[in-house]
Amino acid sequence: MAKLNTYFRDTVEEMRYNVTWPSTAELQKSAGLVLIGSLVFAAVVGLMDVSFNSVLQAFYQSFAR
C-alpha cells in the first residue's frame, strides 16, 4: 500500500511542478485546428459515402433491368 501512496504522491508532484502546461491562447489555437481538421475529415468521408452509394446504386440497377 505504501508503494501505491508513493506513486500517487509522485504523480501529483510531477503534474504540478514538472509538466509544462499550454497557455490559454495555445489551447484555443489547438482546439480550432482540431475542429477544422474534424470538419474536413467529416466532409471527405461524407463525399466518399455519397459517391460510393451512387456507384453501387448504378451497379445494382444495371442488373435489375
Side-chain angles (χ1 to χ4, degrees):
M1 193 65 160
K3 286 185 179 183
L4 189 61
N5 285 338
T6 303
Y7 169 77
F8 283 120
R9 192 176 314 113
D10 289 346
T11 301
V12 168
E13 184 179 325
E14 179 85 17
M15 297 296 277
R16 277 190 181 169
Y17 302 114
N18 296 336
V19 173
T20 304
W21 296 99
S23 67
T24 303
E26 290 172 329
L27 264 166
Q28 288 175 341
K29 183 178 177 183
S30 295
L33 288 173
V34 168
L35 179 64
I36 290 169
S38 297
L39 291 174
V40 168
F41 183 74
V44 168
V45 170
L47 288 172
M48 288 172 54
D49 182 45
V50 169
S51 63
F52 287 150
N53 188 29
S54 299
V55 169
L56 286 175
Q57 280 184 350
F59 178 74
Y60 292 146
Q61 287 180 1
S62 69
F63 289 111
R65 293 180 191 175

